[in-house]
């Protein structure tokens, strides 16, 4: 697994990763997509989450930081 520093992604690439993740499910349905993405950005900025890429599976995920 490789950590992808979110600040090194373009705004479009980051939005795409977060949008795909936010639409997988498991989020409060009362939140709009933009609100879910804002929540994820805040978690990335505060170090509560990080973007991980699995080259073997070709998948990207957000995971909680320890």
């Amino acid at each position: 697994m490789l950590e992808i520093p979110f600040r090194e992604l373009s705004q479009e690439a980051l939005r795409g990763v977060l949008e795909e993740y936010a639409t997988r499910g498991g989020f409060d349905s009362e939140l709009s997509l933009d609100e879910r993405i804002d929540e994820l950005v805040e978690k990335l900025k505060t170090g509560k989450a990080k973007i991980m890429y699995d080259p073997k599976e070709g998948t990207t995920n957000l995971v909680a930081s320890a």
Side-chain angles (χ1 to χ4, degrees):
M1 297 273 282
L2 303 170
E3 182 175 354
I4 306 298
F6 78 95
R7 287 185 170 92
E8 292 183 15
L9 296 174
S10 69
Q11 287 297 316
E12 295 81 18
L14 179 60
R15 172 86 185 185
V17 168
L18 297 179
E19 194 170 292
E20 191 277 330
Y21 182 80
T23 57
R24 289 184 194 171
F27 283 89
D28 184 345
S29 61
E30 294 178 14
L31 296 176
S32 71
L33 178 58
D34 286 334
E35 289 170 323
R36 288 181 266 173
I37 290 173
D38 289 344
E39 186 177 278
L40 293 171
V41 168
E42 186 62 27
K43 288 182 179 183
L44 289 168
K45 286 181 177 178
T46 60
K48 293 180 181 177
K50 56 187 173 182
I51 300 173
M52 300 298 292
Y53 175 69
D54 183 340
K56 186 175 182 180
E57 297 291 325
T59 57
T60 303
N61 283 296
L62 265 72
V63 298
S65 295

